């Protein structure tokens, strides 16, 4: 029963480690690729973007809410694509800081009007006015192709964006990724020590049995001899351990 529980525990730990590694790899990829053009993360042509507001919250199939993770298609800047009314695009404009962290943020809104000069007017489905409405309290400039970095086609994972955003903070990375990895390596170290002790004990037992089997003794004498041999090996191990620690301490002091 104990062995079965140990195997189940090992499987659970291994699965958790794989999940943590996958998540950490995703976060690392997002951070590294975000250093490219415009700062948009690029994971195999997809831009995972955390939604920072409820401006696109609604009842349409392609609407999304604050905290969602939306997967947009990264735009090829050399293609000079022409967007149409109804397209949802991810763009960045100077001075648009939604989360008030001092950095310009990506905005994913729907195109509601194409201007004669080829620029676009955008709007969040939940907003009452256009982003470029001069009557609004914070009017944004028109969006041009140079401002657009990705296009959204409806793929999202509800609530995951907030979690990914938390992982990108120092506290979140330490608590969710770094700390579990430290615990895992300590757990593996303990497993190695236990396995080494068990192996040495089994090896000593086999050696004792082999020696005694070759001797002309009764069964009772054989069992007694095995017990005495194992006791001697245990005492020898306990005697050598303080000596090794003393030697290591002397080396450190030197």
């Amino acid at each position: 029963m104990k062995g079965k529980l140990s195997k189940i525990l090992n499987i659970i730990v291994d699965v958790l480690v794989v999940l943590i590694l996958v998540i950490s790899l995703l976060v690392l990829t997002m951070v590294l690729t975000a250093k490219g053009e415009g700062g948009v993360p690029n994971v195999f042509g997809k831009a995972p973007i955390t939604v920072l507001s409820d401006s696109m919250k609604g009842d349409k199939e392609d609407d999304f809410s604050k905290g969602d993770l939306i997967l947009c298609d990264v735009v090829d800047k050399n293609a000079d694509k022409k967007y149409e009314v109804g397209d949802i695009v991810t763009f960045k404009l100077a001075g648009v800081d939604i989360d008030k962290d001092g950095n310009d943020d990506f905005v994913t809104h729907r195109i509601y009007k194409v201007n004669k000069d080829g620029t676009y007017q955008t709007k969040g489905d939940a907003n009452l006015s256009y982003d470029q409405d001069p009557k609004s309290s914070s009017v944004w400039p028109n969006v041009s192709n140079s401002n657009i970095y990705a296009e959204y086609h409806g793929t999202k994972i509800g609530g995951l964006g907030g979690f990914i955003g938390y992982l990108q903070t120092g506290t979140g990375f330490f608590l969710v990724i770094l700390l579990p990895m430290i615990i895992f390596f300590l757990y593996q170290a303990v497993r190695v020590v236990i396995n080494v002790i068990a192996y040495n004990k089994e090896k000593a037992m086999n050696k004792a049995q082999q020696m005694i089997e070759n001797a002309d003794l009764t069964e009772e004498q054989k069992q007694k001899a095995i017990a005495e041999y194992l006791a001697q090996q245990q005492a020898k191990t306990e005697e050598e351990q303080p000596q090794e620690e003393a030697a290591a301490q002397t080396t450190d002091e030197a």
Side-chain angles (χ1 to χ4, degrees), residues 215-235:
D216 188 14
L217 301 173
T218 64
E219 189 64 32
E220 183 178 352
Q221 289 174 327
K222 289 180 180 181
Q223 294 298 328
K224 184 178 180 180
I226 292 174
E228 290 177 353
Y229 177 80
L230 293 177
Q232 290 175 0
Q233 293 297 316
Q234 180 67 25

Side-chain angles (χ1 to χ4, degrees), residues 169-252:
T169 66
T171 302
F173 185 82
F174 174 78
L175 291 178
V176 181
I177 295 178
L178 190 58
L179 183 60
M181 291 302 295
I182 293 174
I183 295 174
F184 167 74
F185 285 119
L186 291 176
Y187 173 73
Q188 290 297 327
V190 171
R191 284 178 62 182
V192 169
V193 172
I194 292 175
N195 289 335
V196 169
I197 293 174
Y199 171 77
N200 289 335
K201 185 176 181 180
E202 183 180 359
K203 186 177 179 181
M205 176 68 77
N206 292 336
K207 185 177 180 180
Q209 287 180 337
Q210 186 177 3
M211 292 172 59
I212 293 170
E213 288 294 335
N214 296 331
D216 188 14
L217 301 173
T218 64
E219 189 64 32
E220 183 178 352
Q221 289 174 327
K222 289 180 180 181
Q223 294 298 328
K224 184 178 180 180
I226 292 174
E228 290 177 353
Y229 177 80
L230 293 177
Q232 290 175 0
Q233 293 297 316
Q234 180 67 25
K236 184 179 179 181
T237 302
E238 293 175 354
E239 181 180 349
E240 290 176 351
Q241 186 174 0
Q243 295 176 356
E244 292 175 357
E245 293 177 353
Q249 183 176 2
T250 302
T251 302
D252 293 339

Side-chain angles (χ1 to χ4, degrees), residues 22-156:
V22 170
I23 293 173
S24 60
L25 182 61
L26 174 61
V27 173
L28 180 61
T29 303
M30 291 174 62
V31 171
L32 293 178
T33 58
K35 295 181 180 180
E37 183 180 6
V40 63
N42 188 342
V43 183
F44 303 111
K46 295 291 184 179
I49 296 176
T50 298
V51 181
L52 301 177
S53 74
D54 280 326
S55 62
M56 284 292 291
K57 186 176 182 179
D59 54 5
K60 297 179 180 179
E61 290 185 2
D62 52 7
D63 282 338
F64 44 83
S65 304
K66 180 179 180 180
D68 289 348
L69 184 73
I70 56 176
L71 301 178
C72 306
D73 294 328
V74 177
V75 170
D76 181 1
K77 286 293 187 178
N78 298 321
D80 193 27
K81 181 177 179 179
K82 302 300 182 183
Y83 298 94
E84 301 176 351
V85 172
D87 290 342
I88 301 178
V89 294
T90 298
F91 56 90
K92 180 185 284 188
L93 298 172
V96 178
D97 181 10
I98 297 175
D99 55 6
K100 308 301 180 184
D101 63 351
N103 299 314
D104 297 337
D105 293 316
F106 285 106
V107 178
T108 304
H109 278 180
R110 194 183 302 275
I111 294 176
Y112 271 75
K113 182 179 180 181
V114 179
N115 299 318
K116 293 181 180 180
D117 61 359
T119 59
Y120 310 98
Q121 294 186 23
T122 55
K123 175 179 174 295
D125 288 356
N127 294 341
L128 299 178
S129 60
Y130 293 97
D131 299 329
Q132 294 76 21
D133 188 348
K135 297 179 181 179
S136 65
S137 57
S138 55
V139 58
W140 296 353
N142 291 332
V143 177
S144 63
N145 277 36
S146 61
N147 304 124
I148 298 175
Y149 294 93
E151 186 175 5
Y152 175 67
H153 295 289
T155 303
K156 66 180 179 181

